[in-house]
């Protein structure tokens, strides 16, 4: 079927990339983007990095920082789509090929890209069933949108004591940003911070740096939010209760799929695409909302470059079907905090000590490589200047590429 009307639901990086990729592939028909946020796409990763702790935090309250801080901004879209900002898709009829909008309108399509992303999980219980929810307690802060980032920056201006729940990359970045502006910060994590994402070795490097910067790390098991007017309180599984002026939770994300209820596209609540991003010949999905086939099975990988790469594949999958190339996922991850900046190519949950370790010019600077059983390896640069393509070549070649340099013991 010739596509003349394509609708993209979601105006994040996956939606933006899908639009750009459709145009680059020669699609010149109608393109309509439905975006629940009132902003053009911006960089979410910047929200927990430079944006959190640089500048004075002034803004016009509308997502537009007026202090010269532009870390989250992306170039103006050039895909020439009709963009409906502040409008949500509320339902989908895959037989009639229409997206229903929350305001009551409908958008017919020949092809549909689902890129509705995900939202922050919360500790406080939900208060309502439907929609991309603003539920939970107002005293529990999360960080997903530009509004969340601005609200957090404003709260940090008074240098409150902060309790960060979650020892993943987001929790650690938030903790680092809060320390940087002068807050007293406690991070609650049921395992050593970053160990699930980066393995014990890299977790050790980051946790040591974090403690050196003043972070207090607390275990104690699963946390429960206690909602009280007095402030933020959290109870841990071992009975410990913690209190702070501000509680920020960073306990993962959940996909925005509620609007697809009843569409027959969800399997066990998941949107599982094939290796070309397809759910059907006329519907593709990409980004944080989608679970795709990887070597470890079908899974969501809610990361920035994963969203971009999935969206490129899905756009071509929509236009060309089986003639489109399959997705060849190349993991790339970065994080910053506590004076460290890490870039990693390959599977980051590395096991054991590195097979190769080379110090750089600065005291904290390291280039590390791990082999893995599947052949290719993982290459990690911490405060180490190396272009990403070179890091990728190192990961592909494995640590053997760096020998005969002698491995160092850390
Ligand atoms: C604070 C933060 C820091 C991060 N740092 C990193 C990092 O350092 N490295 C990294 O790799 N990744 C990082 N990530 C993850 C990365 O930002 C995401 O993987 C990426 O933004 C996903 O893009 P997306 O377009 O799939 O989804 P989203 O960015 O979630 O965009 C989806 C859009 O769809 C909209 N939407 C939802 N439902 C509807 C609907 N029904 N109708 C219309 N629109 C809808 C949403 O409002 C949203 O605007 C970070 C994420 C956060 C929150």
């Amino acid at each position: 079927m010739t596509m003349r009307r394509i609708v993209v639901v979601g105006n994040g990086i996956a939606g933006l990339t899908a639009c750009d990729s459709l145009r680059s592939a020669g699609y010149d028909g109608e393109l309509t983007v439905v975006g629940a946020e009132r902003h053009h796409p911006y960089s979410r990763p910047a929200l927990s990095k430079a944006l959190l702790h640089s500048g004075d935090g002034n803004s016009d309250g509308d997502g537009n920082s007026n202090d010269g801080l532009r870390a989250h901004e992306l170039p103006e879209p050039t895909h020439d789509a009709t963009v409906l900002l502040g409008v949500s898709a509320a339902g989908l009829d895959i037989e009639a090929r229409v997206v229903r909008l929350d305001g009551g309108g409908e958008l017919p399509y020949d092809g549909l890209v689902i890129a509705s992303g995900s939202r922050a999980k919360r500790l406080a219980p939900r208060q309502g069933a439907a929609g991309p929810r603003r539920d939970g307690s107002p005293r529990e802060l999360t960080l997903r949108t530009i509004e969340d980032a601005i609200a957090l920056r404003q709260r940090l201006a008074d240098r409150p004591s902060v309790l960060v729940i979650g020892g993943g990359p987001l929790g650690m970045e938030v903790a680092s940003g809060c320390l940087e502006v002068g807050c007293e910060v406690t991070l609650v994590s049921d395992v050593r911070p970053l160990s699930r994402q980066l393995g014990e070795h890299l977790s050790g490097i980051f946790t040591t740096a974090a403690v050196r910067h003043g972070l207090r790390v607390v275990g104690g098991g699963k946390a429960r939010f206690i909602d009280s007017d007095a402030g933020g309180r959290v109870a841990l599984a071992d009975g410990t209760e913690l209190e702070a002026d501000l509680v920020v939770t960073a306990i993962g994300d959940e996909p925005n799929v509620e609007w697809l209820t009843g569409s027959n596209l969800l399997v066990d609540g998941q949107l599982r695409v094939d290796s070309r991003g397809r759910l059907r010949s006329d519907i593709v999905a990409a980004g944080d909302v989608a679970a795709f086939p990887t070597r470890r099975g079908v899974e969501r990988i809610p990361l920035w470059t994963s969203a971009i790469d999935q969206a490129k594949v899905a756009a071509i999958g929509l236009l060309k079907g089986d003639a489109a190339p399959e997705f060849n996922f190349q993991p790339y991850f970065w994080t910053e905090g506590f004076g460290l900046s890490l870039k990693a190519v390959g599977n980051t949950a590395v096991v054991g000590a590195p097979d190769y370790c080379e110090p750089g010019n600065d005291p904290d600077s390291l280039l590390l490589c791990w082999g893995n059983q599947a052949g290719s390896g993982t290459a990690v640069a911490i405060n180490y200047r190396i272009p990403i393509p070179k890091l990728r070549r190192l990961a592909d070649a494995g640590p053997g590429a760096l020998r005969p340099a002698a491995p160092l013991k850390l």
Side-chain angles (χ1 to χ4, degrees), residues 25-337:
Y27 174 72
D28 61 359
E30 271 179 39
L31 192 53
T32 307
V33 182
V34 186
E37 291 185 79
R38 288 176 297 133
H39 318 288
H40 284 297
Y42 55 87
S43 165
R44 268 185 222 291
L47 302 185
S48 52
K49 300 179 181 67
L51 194 71
L52 198 59
H53 51 78
S54 315
D56 64 8
N58 288 334
S59 87
D60 62 7
D62 197 28
N64 306 307
S65 62
N66 56 15
D67 59 357
L69 252 186
R70 301 265 177 250
H72 64 293
E73 292 184 357
L74 296 175
E76 283 279 305
T78 55
H79 46 56
D80 199 24
T82 302
V83 183
L84 308 177
L85 293 179
V87 177
S88 292
L92 172 66
D93 184 333
I94 60 172
E95 301 309 328
R97 290 192 170 135
V98 287
V99 172
R100 285 195 301 277
L101 303 179
D102 59 355
E106 287 188 343
L107 284 177
Y109 64 82
D110 304 322
L112 173 66
V113 179
I114 298 174
S116 46
S118 62
R119 60 181 176 273
K121 271 190 191 161
R122 288 173 171 272
L123 276 185
R126 289 175 184 168
Q127 301 157 350
R133 296 165 299 245
R134 289 230 157 260
D135 52 4
S137 163
R139 280 170 287 279
E140 178 189 4
L141 300 193
T142 53
L143 181 51
R144 180 78 200 176
T145 64
I146 185 79
E147 286 83 3
D148 296 338
I150 287 164
L152 181 54
R153 276 170 61 99
Q154 284 170 345
R155 297 287 297 273
L156 293 182
D158 295 337
R159 310 289 176 263
S161 58
V162 183
L163 207 47
V164 178
I165 314 297
L170 182 55
M172 287 288 269
E173 288 179 3
V174 169
S176 175
C178 295
L179 279 172
E180 197 146 325
V181 297
C183 301
E184 187 188 300
V185 186
T186 303
L187 179 123
V188 177
S189 180
D190 56 350
V191 293
R192 194 156 71 164
L194 295 174
S195 58
R196 285 200 184 97
Q197 295 77 17
L198 300 180
E200 291 296 336
H201 188 87
L202 293 169
S203 154
I205 293 176
F206 265 80
T207 307
T208 304
V211 170
R212 211 170 55 215
H213 276 72
L215 183 68
R216 179 176 165 234
V217 181
V218 174
K222 214 169 158 44
R224 184 170 54 85
F225 189 76
I226 303 171
D227 207 357
S228 87
D229 290 339
R233 271 171 64 214
V234 164
L236 305 182
D238 69 358
T240 313
E241 283 198 12
L242 298 168
E243 213 173 311
D245 300 327
L246 203 64
V247 175
V248 185
T249 52
I251 53 169
D253 69 322
E254 47 195 354
N256 292 321
V257 291
E258 288 70 17
W259 67 279
L260 297 165
T261 305
S263 68
N264 275 335
L265 292 178
L266 298 172
V267 178
D268 295 334
Q270 277 194 326
L271 213 46
R272 297 184 187 170
V273 300
D274 71 6
S275 58
R276 294 180 175 86
R278 294 173 301 182
L279 292 150
R280 303 166 25 117
S281 60
D282 57 348
I283 305 180
V284 295
D288 286 6
V289 75
F292 59 91
T294 72
R295 283 188 202 155
R296 295 178 301 200
V298 177
E299 57 182 336
R300 278 194 323 116
I301 301 191
L303 291 175
W304 185 256
T305 56
S306 162
I308 292 173
D309 294 346
Q310 287 179 64
K312 288 179 181 169
V313 167
I316 308 304
L318 187 61
L319 295 179
K320 298 195 174 158
D322 286 343
E326 290 184 293
F327 188 32
N328 175 20
F329 179 54
Q330 306 276 332
Y332 173 72
F333 173 78
W334 80 99
T335 188
E336 293 169 13

